[in-house]
Amino acid sequence: MKAKLTLDKSKVISQIDDRLYGSFIEHLGRAVYGGIYQPGHKTADDMGFRQDVMELVKKLGVPIVRYPGGNFVSGYNWEDGTGPKEKRPKKLELAWGTVETNQVGIDEFQEWAKRAGTDIMMAVNLGTRGADEARQLVEYCNLDTDTYYANKRRENGFEKPFGIKLWCLGNEMDGPWQICHLTAREYARKACETAKLMKWTDPSIELVACGSSHKNMPTFGEWERTVLRECYEHIDYISLHNYYGNPTNDTPGYLAQAVNMDEFIKTVAAICDEVKAEKKSDKTINLSFDEWNVWFHSNEQDKQIPRWSYAPRQLEDIYNFEDALVVGTLLITLINNSDRVKIACLAQLVNVIAPIMTEDEGCRLQTIFYPFMHASLYGRGKAICAAVECGCYDGGGLKNVPYVTAAAVENDDGGVTVFAVNRSLEESAELDTAGFEGLKLVSHTVLDCDDMKAVNSLADPEHVVPAELSVNGATALPAHSWNVLRFKK
Ligand code: AHR
């Protein structure tokens, strides 16, 4: 198969916001307890944080981590996770049916984030709580004043404010599964008043309002319109969430799912602009795709988890090779929409639907670790237009899905990195590069495997790993492969 990739450096999509390569840690399963935090572990530091996990988080270069949920946040009292550990309450956690010990809270997590070299995207509880607790949390985290909550932080041993700049106004409040789910009108009012109080407390923060929990929600569209009309002046971003899966084992259809993500993004951006026009506003609301990933492998096994377990193995999807290709296509879609998507979070980071898995003996890198790492390391700079001409197929309910999908980023050193997935299961794609004059291909990294279902297991942890291809001669994207092509001046 032939695929023509045309680079037009004059067509800049956008300067990419580094936060496009964010991730997520929720108080769920073994993400926190037994994931980032395991006192007594052989690699634990003075605060109980696993150094082996932290090294891998650094390797991914994650610029921002959403915390503490997720569904968890809608029943969470943030004060429970502050102050002396021995006084912290052990509570029933209703979102996931577990027990929360509160041994990690914002006091510890902000320290973990500092040590891991990342920023926090903090969510407030708009389920069981509201504006009052949210503004108190902003004061606790960000203010230097001689006032009650800022002084509480000092009493707890943190003289300097944490300086958290990005905040989520609740989580998936459109979903009936959410603790204290709200209608669009109810959420819009609650979010608007909470946003006002949070920004009055600290005007330097940015706020993300909840959009739809996925593209097929019955309220999708109307939810966004209602929230935007009410909150427009007080928010900066609206969120999108979507998980993808292959429950019917239809690999071509599964590999096509990024087309759905693309449509979802473009629709939400259009709704933002519709409301902008209605309001005759100069302000543009951008998008925060703050939960995206593959999630379906663990659905059945999770039904067996006994209620009120502590840190159970929950949402522990074991990712195979085709999942890594899908993650690659989703990353390409985010880069190509970086004019509107400024923040995105791979959900999640450790153990729970995650690229990093832990055992007492050490960590394992899942297949999806690699495309995410490549995009985070080499996808910084300016997204530029990379047009692909190639054959198409119909699959997954979608028509004319191109076999080859690609994104190009002009890096700060003037080089260009191309990310490309060849979705064809049979044919490699011979690449004809136009518009690359003055650029030399210096490396071609590929993630490829004969077995679409291959995983990195405990017994064989390096079954699916990237390899370097020769850069002499014609460039071809192998059948079913993730490719990183680095061009230098
Ligand atoms: O990431 C897992 C869960 O998925 C989150 O808690 C929730 O927001 C979403 O439904």
Side-chain angles (χ1 to χ4, degrees):
M1 171 178 46
K2 295 224 182 293
K4 185 170 179 191
L5 180 67
T6 308
L7 196 67
D8 189 346
K9 277 177 131 189
S10 68
K11 283 200 190 137
V12 175
I13 297 170
S14 176
Q15 177 69 34
I16 295 173
D17 189 320
D18 287 352
R19 297 174 299 177
L20 197 68
Y21 306 111
S23 190
F24 180 24
I25 294 271
E26 177 167 1
H27 280 250
L28 158 57
R30 298 190 305 132
V32 174
Y33 307 112
I36 61 166
Y37 177 80
Q38 195 175 344
H41 186 266
K42 58 181 185 247
T43 72
D45 65 12
D46 57 313
M47 287 186 78
F49 298 131
R50 279 183 68 154
Q51 295 302 289
D52 54 350
V53 175
M54 205 177 279
E55 283 317 306
L56 290 170
V57 172
K58 286 186 190 160
K59 203 167 166 183
L60 287 174
V62 180
I64 197 149
V65 179
R66 189 164 173 255
Y67 176 84
N71 296 340
F72 169 82
V73 79
S74 299
Y76 183 51
N77 292 353
W78 66 266
E79 306 88 333
D80 292 347
T82 62
K85 285 196 172 187
E86 62 287 0
K87 292 201 179 139
R88 295 188 190 177
K90 210 196 248 185
K91 285 196 168 168
L92 293 180
E93 201 292 282
L94 297 184
W96 300 103
T98 56
V99 167
E100 171 58 49
T101 62
N102 285 303
Q103 290 304 292
V104 171
I106 188 58
D107 285 357
E108 290 74 29
F109 192 73
Q110 61 82 33
E111 189 58 38
W112 178 84
K114 255 190 233 149
R115 294 180 186 192
T118 188
D119 286 332
I120 298 175
M121 176 184 197
M122 187 79 189
V124 299
N125 174 357
L126 292 195
T128 57
R129 303 186 112 189
D132 202 28
E133 295 85 356
R135 62 151 178 161
Q136 290 164 3
L137 178 57
V138 174
E139 179 187 331
Y140 184 88
C141 292
N142 284 4
L143 263 60
D144 217 356
T145 46
D146 177 16
T147 50
Y148 185 80
Y149 288 98
N151 284 334
K152 270 264 168 239
R153 184 196 65 240
R154 292 187 185 95
E155 270 169 40
N156 291 337
F158 304 96
E159 182 54 39
K160 283 221 172 95
F162 304 153
I164 299 175
K165 292 295 169 209
L166 185 61
W167 296 73
C168 304
L169 293 160
N171 176 71
E172 294 190 351
M173 297 309 302
D174 62 325
W177 59 85
Q178 202 65 211
I179 298 175
C180 299
H181 158 233
L182 300 170
T183 65
R185 286 283 323 138
E186 289 166 342
Y187 173 71
R189 285 301 311 136
K190 195 169 184 178
C192 178
E193 293 308 314
T194 306
K196 267 167 46 184
L197 269 55
M198 289 172 76
K199 282 202 173 171
W200 286 350
T201 306
D202 180 357
S204 74
I205 60 174
E206 288 192 307
L207 294 175
V208 184
C210 288
S212 294
S213 298
H214 57 81
K215 189 169 168 259
N216 297 326
M217 288 297 290
T219 49
F220 173 50
E222 207 36 50
W223 175 277
E224 279 74 3
R225 234 170 255 117
T226 308
V227 171
L228 286 163
R229 282 180 181 145
E230 191 71 31
C231 303
Y232 205 88
E233 302 316 321
H234 305 287
I235 62 167
D236 304 282
Y237 308 92
I238 189 151
S239 74
L240 296 82
H241 289 181
N242 219 115
Y243 292 95
Y244 303 86
N246 188 12
T248 57
N249 197 15
D250 163 20
T251 296
Y254 181 40
L255 293 177
Q257 289 310 306
V259 174
N260 273 325
M261 180 195 238
D262 189 62
E263 282 174 11
F264 187 22
I265 292 169
K266 291 191 164 66
T267 308
V268 178
I271 297 171
C272 290
D273 294 347
E274 176 196 340
V275 178
K276 177 181 181 176
E278 264 175 30
K279 291 189 172 282
K280 300 185 178 55
S281 174
D282 291 339
K283 178 177 172 184
T284 299
I285 300 290
N286 281 319
L287 313 187
S288 172
F289 212 125
D290 45 46
E291 284 189 35
W292 69 270
N293 200 351
V294 168
W295 174 16
F296 73 107
H297 295 287
S298 58
N299 290 351
E300 283 310 307
Q301 77 213 31
D302 282 357
K303 292 182 186 153
Q304 311 306 320
I305 297 173
R307 214 151 165 72
W308 315 131
S309 307
Y310 165 69
R313 289 180 184 260
Q314 209 164 12
L315 276 67
E316 297 207 0
D317 276 39
I318 301 302
Y319 292 119
N320 59 32
F321 170 62
E322 67 181 17
D323 297 327
L325 292 186
V326 169
V327 163
T329 60
L330 299 173
L331 285 160
I332 287 169
T333 307
L334 290 170
I335 294 170
N336 284 335
N337 285 288
S338 57
D339 54 333
R340 297 309 294 265
V341 183
K342 299 297 168 188
I343 303 152
C345 301
L346 174 73
Q348 299 192 9
L349 187 55
V350 183
N351 287 332
V352 171
I353 43 175
I356 302 168
M357 301 299 288
T358 69
E359 296 298 337
D360 286 348
E361 301 73 43
C363 296
R364 189 159 37 101
L365 307 188
Q366 296 236 51
T367 59
I368 64 167
F369 184 94
Y370 297 104
F372 185 64
M373 177 181 73
H374 293 150
S376 172
L377 296 187
Y378 308 126
R380 314 270 175 130
K382 260 187 269 168
I384 47 182
C385 201
V388 185
E389 288 165 61
C390 64
C392 292
Y393 69 100
D394 296 343
L398 296 155
K399 296 250 176 266
N400 294 322
V401 179
Y403 279 112
V404 174
T405 178
V409 179
E410 184 170 10
N411 306 122
D412 290 345
D413 63 0
V416 170
T417 302
V418 172
F419 303 103
V421 169
N422 179 3
R423 294 178 165 118
S424 169
L425 299 181
E426 283 90 33
E427 283 183 72
S428 72
E430 248 176 73
L431 207 62
D432 164 9
T433 45
F436 284 73
E437 295 77 24
L439 290 169
K440 186 176 177 315
L441 181 63
V442 293
S443 69
H444 181 178
T445 308
V446 71
L447 191 67
D448 181 20
C449 188
D450 290 341
D451 177 4
M452 299 298 285
K453 308 292 180 191
V455 301
N456 289 337
S457 63
L458 279 175
D460 190 1
E462 294 188 0
H463 193 64
V464 184
V465 289
E468 291 303 313
L469 295 187
S470 155
V471 290
N472 299 317
T475 307
L477 312 176
H480 49 73
S481 63
W482 158 257
N483 300 265
V484 183
L485 301 150
R486 305 211 70 207
F487 296 84
K488 295 279 172 202
K489 275 188 166 170

